[in-house]
Amino acid sequence: MPRRSKVLSGTLVASALLLTSIGIGTVAANADTPAPAPVAAPAAPAGHTMAVSTAASPEDPDGDGYIPANPPVTGVTPSTEEPPHRYFHEFQANCSVTHTAPDDPIVFPQQPGKSHDHTFMGNTTTDANSTTASLDAGSTTCLAPGDRSAYWMPTMYDGDRPVLPVGPQTIYYKAGVTDYTSVRPFPKGLRYVVGGPMQSAQEFRDHPGFVEGWECGDSFFNVDFPTGCPERPEVQVNIRFQAPSCWDGKNLDTPDHKSHMAYPVVNPGTNNNICPADHPVALPMIEFKMAFPVNGDLSRVRLASGASHSFHYDFFNAWDEATLDAMVGHCIVGGLQCDARGYDQTHPEAGAALNEDYELP
């Protein structure tokens, strides 16, 4: 399981927080005009915008954009502890593509067809009307049946042809803070957006979730789709992008779909990552590692949201709580490098969190 680690510097975090403060609401409030082409038409130009949401989620009856956690998590302070060093504290959620649709139940709830086209993974029922309850009742393409979460990102096109990832994609769940023993499972119904379709190339590059950008063959850290991508059957275009992992403990969603979450910061005087004081609850850090089956000449490759730097993704948690608790406790808190069963082949003595059917034993 090759892995390049990402260390957040204080400067990077500070610049990213500044960009975030400038760009609050990029997804929902920055888009004043409708898309210049119908959603279903794959010829939407780079940088196209999205219409403003005109409906609220059924889970937000007063329509203020806030979905409070019930119960909230209180009395938590960011952990500054340094547990025994473990290079890995992670597990994988391997989930396949289910469908594509111009829907987004976080940004445009109850408004089918209003978004640019998205590629959905995990829960097979995800659409504009999805709620925590509907996802909880759905099925999944993730290897673990207990992971009924919804994951989605803008659809990639090569000219007019959709380019959909083939087979289970790697979605890492990691510790984003130094004290990996302080990480707790996601609350059911938590949702957020990582990045945004309106971000500039520089904002994409400076984003605290940027790991290797777009990569192909031996070309890494690209803001634009790589040129000279080897034209071989086994070569694909990849991207790795990390989500914030510190939660305010109060809200499952906020009006901009971002501000209830934050990236870890550097603890002054150390090289350790901790959660900021206003987002003290350490949750798993999701990292998308997506592989798109396209190579060679990438000049016609684009995203439904626009240019390469408009890449972003959404997460809506609908894990079975006992299953997620077992995976987080065994793999992240336990300092292991687990597969989708919660098994670390370098530590067979630790066993697995799930059985051969990827379910709780």
Side-chain angles (χ1 to χ4, degrees):
M1 188 185 304
R3 176 180 182 271
R4 291 175 174 85
S5 62
K6 175 183 176 69
V7 178
L8 297 175
S9 69
T11 302
L12 178 59
V13 171
S15 62
L17 290 175
L18 175 59
L19 288 171
T20 302
S21 67
I22 294 172
I24 286 292
T26 345
V27 174
N30 231 4
D32 306 309
T33 59
V39 172
H48 89 97
T49 59
M50 297 189 301
V52 174
S53 180
T54 56
S57 166
E59 296 172 275
D60 176 24
D62 62 4
D64 66 354
Y66 292 90
I67 301 177
N70 185 20
V73 176
T74 59
V76 176
T77 57
S79 175
T80 57
E81 298 297 317
E82 295 187 47
H85 175 71
R86 296 286 188 274
Y87 189 72
F88 294 106
H89 10 70
E90 64 184 42
F91 66 89
Q92 294 184 22
N94 296 137
C95 307
S96 300
V97 170
T98 58
H99 59 288
T100 66
D103 289 354
D104 189 325
I106 295 178
V107 178
F108 298 115
Q110 310 293 300
Q111 299 161 89
K114 197 164 187 177
S115 172
H116 53 250
D117 203 67
H118 283 113
T119 295
F120 293 89
M121 296 169 290
N123 200 296
T124 62
T125 69
T126 313
D127 62 18
N129 298 310
S130 291
T131 62
T132 303
S134 72
L135 294 176
D136 208 32
S139 58
T140 183
T141 61
C142 299
L143 292 183
D147 185 6
R148 295 184 290 273
S149 299
Y151 309 88
W152 64 95
M153 59 192 171
T155 299
M156 178 184 284
Y157 290 98
D158 183 7
D160 292 341
R161 178 180 67 88
V163 180
L164 305 181
V166 177
Q169 298 300 294
T170 301
I171 301 170
Y172 289 107
Y173 281 59
K174 303 180 176 182
V177 293
T178 299
D179 184 9
Y180 55 87
T181 68
S182 68
V183 176
R184 63 178 70 196
F186 290 116
K188 183 71 74 72
L190 181 77
R191 67 209 73 182
Y192 54 73
V193 179
V194 184
M198 299 303 296
Q199 63 200 356
S200 68
Q202 191 61 50
E203 287 172 326
F204 176 64
R205 180 63 185 88
D206 292 341
H207 196 284
F210 186 100
V211 182
E212 292 171 350
W214 295 102
E215 55 185 46
C216 182
D218 295 326
S219 179
F220 303 96
F221 303 106
N222 296 290
V223 170
D224 298 317
F225 296 121
T227 58
C229 186
E231 191 169 354
R232 299 195 301 269
E234 72 276 11
V235 173
Q236 301 188 78
V237 171
N238 296 270
I239 190 168
R240 299 179 67 159
F241 212 82
Q242 294 174 345
S245 59
C246 297
W247 179 43
D248 66 8
K250 303 173 184 176
N251 300 293
L252 301 178
D253 197 11
T254 40
D256 64 355
H257 316 297
K258 295 182 180 182
S259 62
H260 54 307
M261 301 294 297
Y263 285 87
V265 297
V266 175
N267 189 21
T270 74
N271 290 319
N272 296 339
N273 288 334
I274 63 172
C275 283
D278 55 354
H279 291 74
V281 184
L283 301 177
M285 180 190 72
I286 286 180
E287 178 183 309
F288 265 32
K289 183 182 180 185
M290 301 290 113
F292 299 87
V294 63
N295 54 43
D297 179 11
L298 303 183
S299 62
R300 286 165 48 85
V301 172
R302 58 183 174 77
L303 300 176
S305 53
S308 57
H309 54 77
S310 71
F311 180 79
H312 57 286
Y313 62 88
D314 300 54
F315 169 66
F316 195 143
N317 176 45
W319 273 87
D320 169 71
E321 290 164 296
T323 305
L324 181 60
D325 185 65
M327 293 290 283
V328 170
H330 186 70
C331 301
I332 298 180
V333 175
L336 299 174
Q337 183 186 23
C338 295
D339 61 15
R341 281 187 60 217
Y343 178 76
D344 184 344
Q345 63 181 0
T346 63
H347 290 282
E349 75 284 354
L354 307 179
N355 63 24
E356 293 182 358
D357 295 321
Y358 299 89
E359 296 181 322
L360 288 172

